[in-house]
Amino acid sequence: TVVLFCSFALHTAVGQVMFVAQMAFFARVSDPRIGGTYMTLLNTIANLGSKWPQTLVLALVDPFTIPGYVDGFHILNGICVLSGALWFFLARKSVASLNALPLAAWAADFRLHGTATAMQSMA
């Protein structure tokens, strides 16, 4: 139970640090002209990307359980840790390049492409 408690405490602490870092990134790159809306969009996309794996993993606990030997939770926990470490090493350069983009690259483009031509042809 001590290992489970420490694991849960570490997970909670790291999750909070990641959430704060994510919100700070979203606040930094949000276009000030539509700040709240942009932050909501980014947060919605992040939530969609982070919630479905939890449901999938919970659904896979029973199929990964080996009766009498290992609970599927422990097997999936190991798989998730290994896949997370692999993703970190494979994606860290891409994530760093996104973080290094100038703020102007994240600004919303309010120009409607092709609208001026269509309006002129209607006149």
Side-chain angles (χ1 to χ4, degrees):
T1 58
V2 172
V3 173
L4 184 61
F5 176 77
C6 290
S7 175
F8 179 72
L10 180 65
H11 175 268
T12 302
V14 171
Q16 290 298 315
V17 169
M18 287 173 41
F19 177 75
V20 170
Q22 182 180 10
M23 289 301 112
F25 176 74
F26 291 166
R28 184 172 64 92
V29 301
S30 289
D31 190 333
R33 296 172 292 176
I34 55 168
T37 304
Y38 202 160
M39 283 189 70
T40 301
L41 172 68
L42 293 172
N43 196 37
T44 300
I45 293 169
N47 281 337
L48 289 173
S50 67
K51 298 304 177 195
W52 69 266
Q54 296 171 8
T55 304
L56 177 65
V57 168
L58 285 175
L60 292 175
V61 169
D62 284 341
F64 275 84
T65 297
I66 302 171
Y69 293 103
V70 183
D71 183 11
F73 172 80
H74 299 297
I75 294 171
L76 286 171
N77 193 18
I79 291 171
C80 288
V81 167
L82 292 175
S83 63
L86 179 66
W87 181 90
F88 174 78
F89 287 113
L90 292 177
R92 67 181 175 186
K93 289 181 182 178
S94 297
V95 171
S97 67
L98 286 174
N99 192 41
L101 286 174
L103 294 180
W106 296 95
D109 185 6
F110 290 109
R111 294 174 293 163
L112 297 175
H113 302 287
T115 303
T117 307
M119 295 294 276
Q120 290 172 352
S121 66
M122 294 173 76

